[in-house]
Amino acid sequence: MATTTIDPAVTAAVVTAADALFYARGIQAVGMDEIRTAAGVSLKKLYAAFPGKDQLIAAVLASRHELWEAGMRDAVAAASTPRDRLLAVYDFLDSWFADDTFRGCGFINAFGELGATSPAVAAIARDHKESFQRFIAALAEQVVGDPAQADELAAQLALLAEGAQTTAAIAGTRDAAVHARRAAGVLIDAATR
């Protein structure tokens, strides 16, 4: 029995096309045939790479998670002090909110659309949010020193970031990142007094 080798370029094209379509219109509104057309691949190649839509959704969310983490790491790496590294999270959000394609957090969107019926999507969204919380906690610990205090500050700062994403998506403006950054500065300063 011959095994089929899946071309990584096909997989990447399908994930990229699906991500753009899912993010713009919602997961349930987009069919596999539309993804195939947007990716420029045959239906046979699409289903060889992703036997079902659930596998494709997981791959899209994994790709989105990697992009999110890389963007956050780059923004934080550009800052010089521990306090500025925490605030850089909101600078990253500000630049993301300015993107014409911004439609809110893809994980919140996917969870809202499928979380009640897809345990896999719910778990992926939770894992992404927990990863973000750990990232913020590590940055907060560099500022406050105490791990317990860092966890508390990180929970507050993550809520600001999550709220900013939702507010920016609904309001259609990037103002939420500026306001969240200012509030984060107040919280950081209070934690370091």
Side-chain angles (χ1 to χ4, degrees), residues 5 11 15 27 35-36 38 40 50 59 110-112 115 158 162 168 170 175 182 184-186:
T5 304
T11 301
V15 168
I27 295 168
I35 294 166
R36 175 200 59 80
F50 301 99
F111 183 84
E162 298 296 345
I170 293 169
D175 296 346
R182 285 185 194 135
V186 170

Side-chain angles (χ1 to χ4, degrees), residues 64-73 75-76 85-94 96-97 105 107-108 123-141 150-151 153-166 180 184:
R64 191 161 275 274
H65 177 75
E66 289 171 14
L67 287 171
W68 167 266
E69 288 201 331
M72 279 288 165
R73 280 192 308 268
V76 166
R85 284 191 281 276
L86 269 175
L87 293 174
V89 167
Y90 303 94
D91 298 334
F92 169 76
L93 294 177
D94 185 51
W96 180 35
F97 298 169
C105 173
F107 294 89
I108 293 172
I124 291 168
R126 284 186 193 106
D127 288 347
H128 171 75
K129 297 304 179 181
E130 288 170 7
S131 172
F132 178 58
Q133 184 84 22
R134 287 189 304 273
F135 179 77
I136 297 295
L139 294 173
E141 191 169 347
D151 286 345
L153 178 59
Q156 295 166 356
L157 296 176
L159 281 172
L160 282 174
E162 298 296 345
Q165 290 173 64
T166 303

Side-chain angles (χ1 to χ4, degrees), residues 2 14 25 60 67 70-71 76 81-83 100 114 118 121 128 138 141 143 148 159 161 166 174 178-179 185 190 192:
V14 171
R25 296 191 12 233
V60 165
L67 287 171
V76 166
T81 68
R83 183 182 189 279
D100 289 341
L114 299 172
S118 172
V121 167
H128 171 75
E141 191 169 347
V143 173
L159 281 172
T166 303
R174 62 196 278 190
V178 173
H179 297 302
T192 55

Side-chain angles (χ1 to χ4, degrees), residues 1 34 44 46 54 94 104 108 113 120 128 140 142 147 159 162:
M1 199 166 173
E34 188 174 1
K44 182 177 180 178
L46 171 68
D54 290 344
D94 185 51
I108 293 172
E113 192 174 349
H128 171 75
Q142 294 173 13
L159 281 172
E162 298 296 345

